[in-house]
Amino acid sequence: MTKIKAQSNKRTITFVVRGDPKSQKRHRMGRGFSYDPSKSDKANFMTLAFKHIPSRPITSPIRFQVVYYMPIPKSWPKYRKLEAETDNIPHIKTPDFDNLVKLNLDALAPFWNDDKQVYQVTASKYYSHIPRTEIVITYLEQ
């Protein structure tokens, strides 16, 4: 579900991408060339987010907010799983949220002209029975 909400001269794009959040992997070198092992993850993420892309790339400053809901470990006892679902237990294991954000910003490059337009990033990770990535992009009207 995409919401584009206008507040004075600000616009907001809100959407959810279901599935386990993926993180940016380090580029690899091999026999004189380098490759991006996260290329398929970025393509998959963009495929899911593509229907939310603005009609024109954003050219104004961007505030990027993202909440990652990571899968609850199957090894956890029932009481801990219930607690994770009802109390928003922070996810403090790998992957690091900065690598999660890198993948999202790279994958969403068609949304804006240049990622240097992103002036603020707010990110958090929690456990959930429904793994997903919730994104809110706020920008000034063009």
Side-chain angles (χ1 to χ4, degrees), residues 2-40:
T2 302
K3 294 180 189 174
I4 298 181
K5 188 166 92 176
Q7 299 174 326
S8 64
N9 63 343
K10 289 185 180 178
R11 294 262 184 207
T12 302
I13 301 172
T14 303
F15 61 95
V16 176
V17 176
R18 297 208 181 254
D20 290 0
K22 304 286 185 192
S23 66
Q24 175 79 27
K25 297 174 184 81
R26 301 239 183 257
H27 281 70
R28 304 281 184 223
M29 292 294 293
R31 299 185 188 235
F33 65 93
S34 69
Y35 70 97
D36 181 2
S38 296
K39 188 175 181 178
S40 64

Side-chain angles (χ1 to χ4, degrees), residues 34-120:
S34 69
Y35 70 97
D36 181 2
S38 296
K39 188 175 181 178
S40 64
D41 291 338
K42 290 177 191 176
N44 292 340
F45 186 84
M46 188 55 203
T47 300
L48 297 171
F50 189 76
K51 61 185 169 191
H52 309 289
I53 195 168
S55 56
R56 295 181 318 199
I58 300 167
T59 58
S60 58
I62 298 166
R63 184 174 68 207
F64 187 78
Q65 298 168 279
V66 60
V67 180
Y68 300 101
Y69 291 94
M70 309 302 282
I72 297 172
K74 293 181 180 181
S75 62
W76 280 11
K78 285 183 184 180
Y79 76 90
R80 182 90 167 141
K81 289 179 183 180
L82 181 62
E83 182 183 357
E85 191 60 38
T86 58
D87 295 337
N88 278 343
I89 293 178
H91 181 275
I92 55 171
K93 306 275 185 198
T94 56
D96 298 343
F97 79 86
D98 59 330
N99 291 326
L100 292 163
V101 171
K102 282 181 206 173
L103 184 124
N104 293 151
L105 290 175
D106 288 351
L108 296 175
F111 278 59
W112 42 75
N113 286 336
D114 194 331
D115 56 359
K116 68 182 174 190
Q117 293 169 241
V118 179
Y119 71 92
Q120 182 182 22

